[in-house]
Amino acid sequence: MCAAKTSHDLAHLQGNPDVREKVLVVDFDTLAIIDAVVTNVSEWGCCLTSEHVSELYKNVGIRLEGSRKLSKAHVTSVKGKDAAVVFTTHESSVTDKRREKRNDVKIPVTIADLEGITEITGIIVDAAKNGCKVKAEGLTALPEEVLISMKKFDKPVVAEFAWRNDKSAGLRLLWNRTLEESGSDESGEDQDLMAQETEDA
């Protein structure tokens, strides 16, 4: 009854990737309505799991049980019974933040899972200090957290997907993360290098 109090219905689930809650999902394009379970909620999106997730197209509304509000989102990828979605409210703020200097570039990149088992090659097509957009085939086969490697970087950088589809993706660069989970003195240099790449473009 007081479940609909928060302005953003899924905000209370942030930071609790293992928490599962039932939701109703409305697809504004096809008018399909499905029952799903929401997990892995972050500030920018979440995962929806349902037997009928393939019925979702792009623009959806997510409603928690007992809520009178829909949280608007975009479906960015569907794999099996899972769909990755980005909240549209956050998507617009991300677009605003990109004014931090995100320029067109063409930088060859290798993207791999943290164990280095699955590896694909692609091109960074726009970049900033804290994120980039890549074009590559098979991006949906990778986990949420990946390693990206570029010739000019001494070592791989840990990154996470903000959104993705089969041929392109947005990546957030986690400069404070290393494979050894320790602070890296070189991360600042790599950040400066990424910033320089955008200026040279």
Side-chain angles (χ1 to χ4, degrees), residues 62-79:
I62 303 168
R63 184 179 76 89
L64 284 171
E65 284 188 343
S67 172
R68 293 183 178 183
K69 285 184 68 177
L70 290 172
S71 297
K72 287 185 180 179
H74 284 328
V75 177
T76 57
S77 68
V78 175
K79 190 173 182 183

Side-chain angles (χ1 to χ4, degrees), residues 25-182:
V25 185
V26 179
D27 188 299
F28 300 130
D29 300 307
T30 64
L31 299 183
I33 300 174
I34 68 167
D35 292 308
V37 172
V38 64
T39 55
N40 203 26
V41 178
S42 71
E43 60 177 319
W44 55 266
C46 63
C47 177
L48 297 172
T49 303
S50 171
E51 295 280 347
H52 308 291
V53 79
S54 60
E55 294 177 27
L56 301 179
Y57 183 58
K58 184 177 181 185
N59 300 296
V60 298
I62 303 168
R63 184 179 76 89
L64 284 171
E65 284 188 343
S67 172
R68 293 183 178 183
K69 285 184 68 177
L70 290 172
S71 297
K72 287 185 180 179
H74 284 328
V75 177
T76 57
S77 68
V78 175
K79 190 173 182 183
K81 297 178 184 177
D82 297 323
V85 303
V86 175
F87 301 127
T88 52
T89 49
H90 187 71
E91 194 175 53
S92 57
S93 71
V94 165
T95 304
D96 293 340
K97 284 179 189 171
R98 284 183 188 159
R99 307 216 163 41
E100 70 170 348
K101 256 204 175 160
R102 184 165 281 212
N103 298 317
D104 292 338
V105 293
K106 278 193 177 178
I107 307 170
V109 67
T110 301
I111 309 164
D113 58 48
L114 299 185
E115 293 77 32
I117 297 168
T118 304
E119 186 177 283
I120 62 175
T121 57
I123 300 286
I124 294 177
V125 293
D126 86 55
K129 212 169 183 178
N130 297 307
C132 61
K133 179 181 177 182
V134 298
K135 287 196 174 179
E137 298 282 343
L139 289 162
T140 53
L142 293 166
E144 288 301 309
E145 282 196 353
V146 292
L147 290 175
I148 63 173
S149 303
M150 289 167 269
K151 276 186 182 177
K152 292 191 178 183
F153 284 10
D154 291 334
K155 59 181 185 176
V157 178
V158 181
E160 67 179 357
F161 286 105
W163 60 269
R164 60 178 148 169
N165 54 44
D166 284 337
K167 295 187 177 179
S168 60
L171 285 162
R172 190 159 43 242
L173 305 177
L174 307 178
W175 296 108
N176 60 333
R177 285 280 312 277
T178 66
L179 285 177
E180 299 80 25
E181 286 296 330
S182 61

